[in-house]
């Protein structure tokens, strides 16, 4: 189970004690900081991220509501307040739950479970987004640096001795790799790329026309279809 780091923000020491006591029963939440006003909490959050806030509303200098309005990179937030009238405004600020003091352990547990679940969903979304981004980009070495290319922008790849020319529209990147290595990376995992010659891999969506075993790409480059790859024309026409 994913463990949440938490901070308590409340000007009443008793409120801290109640939360800490309840959390002894919930090993998946660890309080790493306690603040007794929102200004102190902001200072801490500028240096350290947390996953969950237990936040009071009525505090000196800066209320919990105003604190939420100025907070960047908002974590999961559970409001703990003695005032019912701030609930609607709090939910407009995307808090996870609103606990009205005094609250029982069962209600506290429900709020924390909800925050934990939402945190897991958010983390999974971020992970999926990162993986999706990785799958849509390709790093190649050019000279002494790595260049990141959008895979869907690659027109074709051309073997060039001990190098490969990676054509992205009219721009060419020369990288010290073999065409076979690109074939394993792109053709095996992506039906959009086809090996049509011992020296060429093309992206189907970048093809303009096929005539007499000559493929014209979107950048007006013409590529021959190799004798051993004539069957690929059917795959291209069927796309």
């Amino acid at each position: 189970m994913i463990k949440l780091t938490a901070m308590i923000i409340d000007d009443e020491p008793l409120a801290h004690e109640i939360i800490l006591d309840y959390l002894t029963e919930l090993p998946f939440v660890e309080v790493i900081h306690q603040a007794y006003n929102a200004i102190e909490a902001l200072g801490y959050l500028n240096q350290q991220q947390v996953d969950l806030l237990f936040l009071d509303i009525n505090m000196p200098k800066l209320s919990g509501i105003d604190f939420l309005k100025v907070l960047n990179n908002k974590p999961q937030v559970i409001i703990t307040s003695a005032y019912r009238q701030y609930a609607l405004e709090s939910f407009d600020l995307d808090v996870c739950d609103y606990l009205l003091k005094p609250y029982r352990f069962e209600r506290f547990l429900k709020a924390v479970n909800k925050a934990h679940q939402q945190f897991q969903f958010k983390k999974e979304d971020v992970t999926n987004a990162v993986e999706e981004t990785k799958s849509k980009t390709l790093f190649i070495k050019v000279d002494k640096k790595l260049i990141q290319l959008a895979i869907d922008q690659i027109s074709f790849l051309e073997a060039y001795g001990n190098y490969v020319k990676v054509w992205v529209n009219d721009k060419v990147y020369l990288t010290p790799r073999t065409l076979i290595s690109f074939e394993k990376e792109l053709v095996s995992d992506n039906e959009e790329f086809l090996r049509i010659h011992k020296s060429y891999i093309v992206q189907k969506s970048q093809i303009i026309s096929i005539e007499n075993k000559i493929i014209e790409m979107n950048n007006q480059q013409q590529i021959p279809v190799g004798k051993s790859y004539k069957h690929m024309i059917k795959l291209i026409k069927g796309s």
Side-chain angles (χ1 to χ4, degrees), residues 24-139:
T24 59
E25 304 295 328
L26 307 176
F28 57 88
V29 180
E30 178 187 5
V31 174
I32 61 173
H33 191 72
Q34 295 172 244
Y36 291 86
N37 62 71
I39 301 297
E40 177 191 346
L42 280 175
Y44 181 82
L45 290 173
N46 285 333
Q47 305 296 324
Q48 176 71 47
Q49 289 186 332
V50 300
D51 305 320
L52 174 62
L53 297 179
F54 295 99
L55 178 64
D56 187 26
I57 293 290
N58 190 21
M59 292 183 290
K61 296 182 181 178
L62 186 68
S63 73
I65 294 293
D66 291 333
F67 169 80
L68 288 177
K69 290 178 180 179
V70 300
L71 186 62
N72 294 321
N73 301 319
K74 191 183 303 178
Q76 297 296 316
V77 179
I78 296 175
I79 297 293
T80 58
S81 175
Y83 299 91
R84 187 186 303 273
Q85 64 266 32
Y86 299 108
L88 184 59
E89 187 175 3
S90 296
F91 282 113
D92 285 341
L93 293 169
D94 295 325
V95 303
C96 179
D97 210 336
Y98 194 102
L99 297 179
L100 192 64
K101 297 177 181 177
Y103 46 84
R104 298 172 61 86
F105 175 76
E106 291 79 6
R107 181 66 182 87
F108 178 83
L109 176 60
K110 181 179 179 180
V112 173
N113 280 337
K114 182 179 178 182
H116 187 258
Q117 185 179 51
Q118 290 187 6
F119 176 80
Q120 286 182 302
F121 287 153
K122 185 176 180 180
K123 189 168 185 178
E124 287 172 3
D125 288 343
V126 170
T127 301
N128 291 337
V130 170
E131 291 302 319
E132 185 176 351
T133 299
K134 286 181 180 179
S135 68
K136 291 183 178 180
T137 61
L138 175 72
F139 280 97

Side-chain angles (χ1 to χ4, degrees), residues 151 154 157 186-187 190-195 201-203:
I151 289 178
I154 296 174
L157 302 101
L186 294 175
V187 179
N190 194 329
E191 294 180 356
E192 187 62 24
F193 286 88
L194 294 174
R195 182 82 176 261
I201 294 173
V202 300
Q203 182 160 194

